[in-house]
Amino acid sequence: MMLEAHNISKRYGREQWLFREANVQVKQGEAVGLLGPSGCGKSTLCRIMSGYDKEFEGKVLLDGRPLPSTGYRPIQLIFQHPERAVNPRWKVGRILSEGWQPDEELLAALDIHPAWLERWPAELSGGELQRICIARALAPQTRFFIADEMTTMLDAITQARIWKAVLGLAEQRKMGLVIVSHDRHLLNRICTRVIDFTTYQK
């Protein structure tokens, strides 16, 4: 299975193009990095590739077909700011089990404590809530996992632990990864190849 973004261009209204004719191909089992400064359009491309943003030029294909519009999304996007990706009126346990029921092994790998599940999102730190979002997205149906600066707010030890868990599960399930970061060292270390996104700005 392959996730493909073909000649994707995006702008808002009649404003200047954010980026033009971006092309990204990700196979299952591959980790592709997107590198570039803030504001160059990396996050927007991630939203397009995961089906959240439908106003663009070009096409996104999953195994040669348009993205499914109903049911569980086989392409899961983790946002940089987890508080924007959860329902503040739901307790954490309900948020976590929204798409599936993560097992104890995954929760332990992400250092998620059972007591968190009885709390409200506002009662968790940003890093704690992000781990909930990551676990929620790693359902067995997930084929491609897009991480948009997902560990930026975490300390180095927690970052390492999360990446170890995600990369291990990706290898086990043959998931494709798209990893957005400003950190070239991180991308070079965990990705099979890295795309310099500034080449698509015109």
Side-chain angles (χ1 to χ4, degrees):
M1 185 175 284
M2 180 181 291
L3 176 62
E4 302 173 87
H6 286 291
N7 296 324
I8 304 296
S9 299
K10 177 69 178 182
R11 67 177 174 181
Y12 297 98
R14 296 182 178 275
E15 296 181 9
Q16 181 178 350
W17 290 97
L18 185 59
F19 55 84
R20 296 294 307 274
E21 299 179 350
N23 290 280
V24 179
Q25 293 183 333
V26 189
K27 299 176 183 178
Q28 280 191 268
E30 183 180 26
V32 176
L34 290 182
L35 178 70
S38 297
C40 70
K42 305 185 303 299
S43 294
T44 300
L45 180 65
C46 288
R47 291 180 59 86
I48 290 171
M49 292 181 68
S50 56
Y52 283 98
D53 189 338
K54 301 182 185 300
E55 300 296 325
F56 62 91
E57 292 185 4
K59 58 185 178 180
V60 178
L61 302 175
L62 179 62
D63 214 21
R65 299 178 180 179
L67 300 183
S69 57
T70 59
Y72 185 90
R73 293 176 183 265
I75 307 161
Q76 288 289 305
L77 170 61
I78 300 295
F79 296 92
Q80 182 176 354
H81 301 289
E83 66 277 4
R84 300 178 185 174
V86 300
N87 187 334
R89 296 181 177 86
W90 287 7
K91 284 196 172 182
V92 171
R94 184 179 178 186
I95 292 169
L96 179 63
S97 60
E98 188 174 4
W100 74 302
Q101 187 62 56
D103 57 34
E104 292 183 5
E105 183 178 357
L106 178 60
L107 298 185
L110 292 171
D111 200 22
I112 293 174
H113 300 283
W116 296 357
L117 306 186
E118 298 301 320
R119 299 178 185 173
W120 299 100
E123 296 178 306
L124 297 186
S125 70
E128 291 167 347
L129 193 57
Q130 187 69 300
R131 280 176 267 177
I132 295 294
C133 291
I134 293 168
R136 179 181 61 176
L138 288 173
Q141 308 98 302
T142 300
R143 296 292 175 262
F144 292 90
F145 183 87
I146 301 178
D148 183 9
E149 298 277 7
M150 75 174 186
T151 59
T152 300
M153 80 291 291
L154 305 177
D155 62 83
I157 294 176
T158 304
Q159 284 189 38
R161 186 165 186 173
I162 286 177
W163 280 117
K164 180 180 179 181
V166 170
L167 294 173
L169 196 59
E171 182 178 6
Q172 177 185 335
R173 297 185 184 172
K174 301 297 183 184
M175 285 193 305
L177 302 177
V178 178
I179 302 169
V180 176
S181 179
H182 298 92
D183 187 344
R184 182 181 289 273
H185 176 72
L186 172 68
L187 295 181
N188 288 341
R189 184 159 50 88
I190 66 178
C191 295
T192 50
R193 57 190 172 90
V194 177
I195 297 171
D196 183 351
F197 200 72
T198 59
T199 60
Y200 297 122
Q201 290 186 297
K202 297 181 180 180

